[in-house]
Amino acid sequence: MPRVAQTCAICDAPLSGGRRKYCSDQCSRKSEYRNTPTTTEPCEWCGKAVTGKRYKPSRRWFCGRKCQMAYKVCVTDGMPTKPWPRSQPCVECGEQYPTKSKHANARCPACRPESRQPSRRLRFIAGRCRRCDQPFVLDRQQAMAFGSYCSSRCGSADGKDRRRARKRAAYVADVWRPRIFKRDGYRCQICGGKLAMDKRAPDPMSPSIDHIIPLARGGNHEPANCQAAHFLCNARKSDRESPRGDQLMLVG
């Protein structure tokens, strides 16, 4: 006699794999929920009567998400069980005010000093780059990553100069390239020619910073020992002393 195919009691799908009544665990949970009687119980936070099916006795009973989160925050963290939002008296005026603070000696917004009032955070930050002197507008997240630079490229290049000086124990102070160029009149102090401020290395006429006394010969990395120079003039000079006697610039 042929065997009659059995079907799931919930979705009428054919059973397989030795299952007798339900085709999956999902249908089994649906059956358990359907067979659970409807009850009316008070909310464990605010006490409001809630009607529903509580098919898991260990599950807590709340009227909504607000009471559930209030119970989780207050009871779990050791706060007194009061209706949400929690209120407490001000330590100065004594008036009750709603707050989420756990501190007992808190002040209401009216008695709080101006310095402690919540300030509106700026979304964008504007300024000039410390390396290329170009204006930039960055959002707060980029400004935290780049600092006082317009991009990570300028920040990495400046950091490379500082690391090279620290390697030789020659670091004294930060060198701001725009200030050095402005001090020297945007002219190369080796050949006397005008710097091409719109060019970038490795262009021969692009601006660069040259150490008057090279770091390899005991010079320091500080504004007093730096001068503006063409990229080509700086490369030709290398770690040698300039024939023009640039060391006299450091005197006086």
Side-chain angles (χ1 to χ4, degrees), residues 51-101:
T51 302
K53 294 184 177 183
R54 189 171 184 174
Y55 64 95
K56 287 186 178 181
S58 61
R59 185 179 181 183
R60 298 196 178 277
W61 195 254
F62 300 105
C63 60
R65 180 71 173 174
K66 187 175 181 180
C67 289
Q68 181 183 3
M69 295 306 297
Y71 181 91
K72 181 179 179 181
V73 171
C74 295
V75 176
T76 305
D77 297 346
M79 293 177 62
T81 56
K82 292 185 179 180
W84 190 266
R86 179 172 175 265
S87 61
Q88 66 181 18
C90 175
V91 295
E92 291 193 4
C93 63
E95 295 291 337
Q96 294 281 342
Y97 71 99
T99 179
K100 297 181 182 180
S101 176

Side-chain angles (χ1 to χ4, degrees), residues 32 41 78 144 151 156 158-159 171 182 193 200 217 233 236:
E32 183 181 358
E41 298 183 19
M144 292 176 63
S151 63
S156 300
D158 237 13
Y171 179 83
K182 186 177 181 180
R200 282 196 174 188
R217 294 181 178 269
C233 297
R236 285 177 177 174

Side-chain angles (χ1 to χ4, degrees), residues 41-169:
E41 298 183 19
C43 174
E44 295 189 16
W45 179 253
C46 64
K48 181 181 178 181
V50 183
T51 302
K53 294 184 177 183
R54 189 171 184 174
Y55 64 95
K56 287 186 178 181
S58 61
R59 185 179 181 183
R60 298 196 178 277
W61 195 254
F62 300 105
C63 60
R65 180 71 173 174
K66 187 175 181 180
C67 289
Q68 181 183 3
M69 295 306 297
Y71 181 91
K72 181 179 179 181
V73 171
C74 295
V75 176
T76 305
D77 297 346
M79 293 177 62
T81 56
K82 292 185 179 180
W84 190 266
R86 179 172 175 265
S87 61
Q88 66 181 18
C90 175
V91 295
E92 291 193 4
C93 63
E95 295 291 337
Q96 294 281 342
Y97 71 99
T99 179
K100 297 181 182 180
S101 176
K102 302 179 184 179
H103 303 286
N105 299 327
R107 304 177 184 177
C108 63
C111 300
R112 197 175 303 162
E114 295 183 0
S115 58
R116 299 186 60 183
Q117 293 286 346
S119 59
R120 184 178 179 183
R121 299 184 64 183
L122 298 176
R123 185 176 179 183
F124 297 99
I125 298 176
R128 282 188 171 273
C129 181
R130 291 181 56 174
R131 183 170 181 87
C132 63
D133 201 32
Q134 295 295 325
F136 63 84
V137 178
L138 304 174
D139 59 16
R140 179 167 290 275
Q141 185 175 4
Q142 291 176 329
M144 292 176 63
F146 300 154
S148 302
Y149 302 97
C150 62
S151 63
S152 59
R153 177 180 178 180
C154 288
S156 300
D158 237 13
K160 183 179 179 181
D161 294 342
R162 290 193 294 269
R163 286 192 300 271
R164 185 167 68 95
R166 288 193 180 100
K167 215 172 196 181
R168 299 179 180 272

